[in-house]
Amino acid sequence: MNIKRTVFLSVLFLIAASTALFAAGTRPVVTDIQARASASNKITVTWTIPSFSKGQYIALQRIYKANRPFTSTADLTEQNLVATIDGLSSSYTDTVEDYREYYYAVITLIASGDFGTEDLFYDEELDALPETTAQDAVAYLIVLPGVNATVNGSRVPLPSRASQIPQNTQESTSSESSRELRNLPLAYISLDDTEGSAQQDNKPRTISEATEKRARSLGGKKPLTQPFTEPYVFEEDLVMPSRGTDDYDLFNILKTTFIRCDYANAAKQLRTFLAQNRSAVTTMRARFYLGECYYFMQNYADAVTCFLSTEDSMSPLVRKWSENALDLYQIPQ
């Protein structure tokens, strides 16, 4: 009980101290930091600049980025420093190359001198900041989650299927045509008309009577299978792994071909990837991706073979894709 009471009182003290600190407006700590994805590969970080105090001003600001929340000044390493900007900026746009979650922190660098007022009235012509280098300023090292450090991770969204289509104008016409055809529902024979309606309306028969009877016998009440239109990507492959690993090699194949819907090249690179000795877990995912490539290339027989080779490790997902591929596969007569 004494420990709980001590912790509770410590939290109350911290909240009261933080409130007094920012209410007085005497500490050069930015507040209200937020980070949001602003484009397909950009995250914009915004914050509020504190009031300037007499005798000092914010000369520069350092932006830190990491894959986990900043909880103390020990997390502010050179490896996590991504930019140093001027002291008047209240936003920064970061360019990212993967789909991992990122956290940000903003640290101010203080220089001596009078600039502006406590209420921060800034005039671009009259109040330009003096030239100050990082060596002339002192970093105000403090990390306050939710104040000058984000507590929620931000990531860029996965590209939509429309944005995944390569813009290479040198692609062959047949490749473009096949991609467009995959977005259309498969052709099927309508069995809704009553038998002989075509003859009663004196309309020419578009299919033979034998074919129509065969279609009716196979039709039953099972709904028509619709092909998948979006590729499946495992959670492990949404982030860039460490270099020199099997996961990193697989990530590069997916990034350069698979998510761009270049399934022919993706299948070729995946076959080369699988020809080498890889870890069991990575091999299973690579085989499933190869099955997806065959699926979207309408090679359903090979797709099913790849899917079933991974059944032991991912049964529900395999069942879903293999059954869909089997329904779309047309057995030669």
Side-chain angles (χ1 to χ4, degrees):
M1 293 298 294
N2 291 334
I3 296 177
K4 292 183 178 178
R5 178 181 177 83
T6 301
V7 173
F8 178 72
L9 291 176
S10 299
V11 172
L12 287 180
F13 175 79
L14 178 61
I15 294 174
S18 301
T19 303
L21 183 151
F22 294 110
T26 59
R27 296 293 185 269
V29 180
V30 304
T31 57
D32 303 322
I33 188 170
Q34 297 183 29
R36 296 187 180 89
S38 56
S40 60
N41 65 335
K42 297 183 184 298
I43 296 177
T44 297
V45 188
T46 60
W47 60 87
T48 300
I49 301 176
S51 300
F52 283 23
S53 301
K54 292 294 185 181
Q56 66 179 12
Y57 65 92
I58 300 176
L60 300 168
Q61 300 178 84
R62 289 175 178 167
I63 316 299
Y64 292 85
K65 178 177 74 171
N67 296 122
R68 61 181 183 179
F70 291 89
T71 58
S72 69
T73 56
D75 298 328
L76 304 174
T77 64
E78 291 187 7
Q79 183 180 1
N80 292 330
L81 178 63
V82 293
T84 299
I85 61 178
D86 66 75
L88 296 176
S89 298
S90 59
S91 67
Y92 172 75
T93 300
D94 183 30
T95 301
V96 297
E97 298 180 353
D98 53 41
Y99 308 105
R100 304 176 69 179
E101 281 193 338
Y102 288 104
Y103 299 81
Y104 296 85
V106 178
I107 299 298
T108 56
L109 279 73
I110 313 306
S112 300
D114 290 328
F115 173 76
T117 67
E118 286 189 346
D119 295 328
L120 184 57
F121 175 76
Y122 174 68
D123 184 282
E124 185 175 359
E125 296 181 357
L126 301 178
D127 295 331
L129 281 174
E131 293 185 3
T132 307
T133 64
Q135 290 76 14
D136 301 326
V138 178
Y140 194 82
L141 294 176
I142 184 172
V143 173
L144 298 174
V147 179
N148 69 331
T150 58
V151 294
N152 296 319
S154 300
R155 66 167 62 176
V156 296
L158 282 172
S160 64
R161 184 172 176 83
S163 63
Q164 292 169 1
I165 299 178
Q167 301 299 318
N168 186 358
T169 56
Q170 302 300 319
E171 287 186 308
S172 65
T173 304
S174 61
S175 176
E176 290 292 340
S177 300
S178 63
R179 181 179 295 111
E180 293 176 359
L181 288 175
R182 283 198 299 271
N183 291 328
L184 297 175
L186 296 180
Y188 66 96
I189 302 172
S190 175
L191 304 179
D192 293 335
D193 295 336
T194 57
E195 187 175 359
S197 59
Q199 287 75 9
Q200 294 174 1
D201 296 337
N202 296 323
K203 295 180 181 179
R205 178 182 288 277
T206 56
I207 60 175
S208 68
E209 184 176 357
T211 301
E212 182 175 344
K213 289 182 178 180
R214 178 63 175 167
R216 289 182 180 278
S217 64
L218 295 175
K221 296 183 178 180
K222 183 178 180 180
L224 293 171
T225 298
Q226 294 298 322
F228 296 131
T229 58
E230 297 289 341
Y232 180 87
V233 179
F234 292 96
E235 186 72 20
E236 299 92 322
D237 299 312
L238 296 179
V239 299
M240 180 181 291
S242 302
R243 295 179 180 272
T245 63
D246 292 343
D247 289 340
Y248 179 80
D249 294 338
L250 179 59
F251 178 86
N252 276 338
I253 295 175
L254 301 178
K255 180 180 177 181
T256 57
T257 58
F258 185 77
I259 67 171
R260 297 177 181 274
C261 301
D262 188 1
Y263 297 118
N265 282 332
K268 180 179 179 180
Q269 294 187 33
L270 286 170
R271 287 192 295 267
T272 302
F273 177 87
L274 290 169
Q276 305 175 36
N277 187 24
R278 305 288 183 175
S279 66
V281 176
T282 307
T283 296
M284 289 297 100
R285 299 204 309 275
R287 286 178 180 173
F288 191 87
Y289 289 131
L290 180 58
E292 288 190 78
C293 290
Y294 289 139
Y295 178 92
F296 288 114
M297 294 165 64
Q298 299 183 4
N299 183 354
Y300 300 120
D302 287 343
V304 172
T305 301
C306 288
F307 291 146
L308 294 181
S309 69
T310 66
E311 187 174 12
D312 292 340
S313 59
M314 48 188 77
S315 295
L317 186 63
V318 166
R319 188 179 303 111
K320 174 183 176 182
W321 280 80
S322 59
E323 288 181 355
N324 189 281
L326 283 172
D327 287 343
L328 297 175
Y329 177 56
Q330 296 181 2
I331 301 176
Q333 297 294 330

